Amino acid sequence: MAVLAVSVGAILVRWSNAPSSVAAFYRVLFTTLPLLPVALHRYRDQFRLIDRRDIAFATLSGIALALHFAAWFESLNWTSVAASVTLVQAQPVFVALGAWVLLRERVTRRMVAGIGIAVIGMVAMSLGDLLGGVLVGPNPLYGNALALFGAVMTAGYVLAGRSLRQRLALVPYVVIVYGACTVSLLLIVVTQGHPLTGYPPREWLVFAGLALGPGLFGHTVINWALAHLESSVVSVSLLGEPVGATILAVILLSEVPTFVTIVGGIVVLVGITFTSSASRA
């Protein structure tokens, strides 16, 4: 259910006529609001025990998450759903690189092989369609670059939260991170000069759908599943998102990915699987 819920996210973004940063802002805002009463009622004392250093790192994690959403949502305006969703899911590769550079974690040959395979797939997806003269999207190279930037920001979000989640309960941590993410996206919207109101009812339904589907039923169920399943099972299952989003794009958007995109996407998924499995081992 979680994989299906997150797969719908890209379709909803493409259906929205609102600026991408506005859609991202309301997705996070509407995801956070239902959690606030729970956090204030059940975790009030735990909020008081969080030190300033952890709040600062959680805030940075929220800013990285905001940049991820802003970049990924915008990428869907320029490239295909298949390419955007696959490239943004490459974050395990950047997590492995970041853990090696920043946390001095050991990098195995299998991880190096996985990273290399994923990079080859990314290059194929980013340049193959341009060289072949068949384009899906007004500017696939720009859109793919935005999706990759979104993956890097997700990696930063994961690396920042890795140590914090060992000390903070899930709900307080999520509320702080989502709060910082909401404020950051609001600043992006204001800086870009986009209005926050005046959208038709259809747009508000899309915003609510992004929060209810990918937000609550997607990430919330994923976090719940982690308490009952091995992380490897959950992590690998999330690789179904590019597959699900691509199938939904064909059915609902009549957007058929090119042969190069399909092959490149398969190569990226293989590389992610190699890197993730080697890192967990």
Side-chain angles (χ1 to χ4, degrees):
M1 182 176 69
V3 170
L4 179 60
V6 296
S7 298
V8 174
I11 308 301
L12 291 174
V13 174
R14 290 291 291 270
W15 276 346
S16 175
N17 294 321
S20 58
S21 57
V22 174
F25 166 72
Y26 280 115
R27 166 182 168 158
V28 181
L29 176 65
F30 290 165
T31 302
T32 308
L33 290 179
L35 297 174
L36 284 178
V38 178
L40 296 176
H41 177 68
R42 297 187 58 182
Y43 299 92
R44 185 180 305 173
D45 294 336
Q46 294 192 27
F47 275 103
R48 298 171 182 170
L49 299 177
I50 303 175
D51 59 38
R52 293 181 179 179
R53 181 175 179 272
D54 286 346
I55 292 177
F57 274 103
T59 300
L60 290 175
S61 179
I63 294 173
L65 185 61
L67 293 175
H68 154 74
F69 279 129
W72 177 50
F73 278 34
E74 181 64 19
S75 76
L76 288 163
N77 293 325
W78 299 97
T79 189
S80 67
V81 168
S84 176
V85 177
T86 302
L87 292 173
V88 84
Q89 274 290 356
Q91 54 88 11
V93 174
F94 297 109
V95 169
L97 288 172
W100 173 55
V101 175
L102 301 175
L103 304 180
R104 303 301 180 187
E105 293 186 0
R106 188 171 67 94
V107 178
T108 65
R109 292 182 179 178
R110 185 182 177 91
M111 290 175 64
V112 173
I115 292 171
I117 293 171
V119 169
I120 292 172
M122 293 174 197
V123 172
M125 295 186 74
S126 298
L127 299 178
D129 291 346
L130 292 177
L131 297 177
V134 180
L135 303 180
V136 179
N139 193 337
L141 188 60
Y142 176 61
N144 293 346
L146 287 174
L148 281 175
F149 178 76
V152 173
M153 290 298 100
T154 305
Y157 162 70
V158 171
L159 290 171
R162 176 173 290 176
S163 61
L164 291 174
R165 280 291 289 119
Q166 297 176 6
R167 299 186 296 276
L168 305 181
L170 176 62
V171 173
Y173 169 73
V174 167
V175 168
I176 295 174
V177 171
Y178 281 8
C181 181
T182 302
V183 173
S184 300
L185 286 170
L186 177 61
L187 292 176
I188 292 175
V189 171
V190 173
T191 301
Q192 293 177 341
H194 299 310
L196 290 171
T197 58
Y199 297 102
R202 177 182 178 278
E203 290 296 328
W204 294 104
L205 289 175
V206 171
F207 300 156
L210 285 168
L212 182 64
L216 293 175
F217 281 98
H219 291 282
T220 302
V221 174
I222 289 168
N223 288 321
W224 172 83
L226 285 170
H228 303 277
L229 296 172
E230 294 180 358
S231 60
S232 59
V233 177
V234 177
S235 177
V236 172
S237 69
L238 287 176
L239 297 182
E241 179 185 355
V243 179
T246 300
I247 294 173
L248 289 174
V250 173
I251 297 172
L252 301 176
L253 302 176
S254 299
E255 183 179 289
V256 180
T258 65
F259 176 77
V260 174
T261 298
I262 294 174
V263 174
I266 293 173
V267 174
V268 171
L269 293 179
V270 171
I272 294 172
T273 303
F274 262 79
T275 304
S276 300
S277 60
S279 178
R280 286 189 297 272

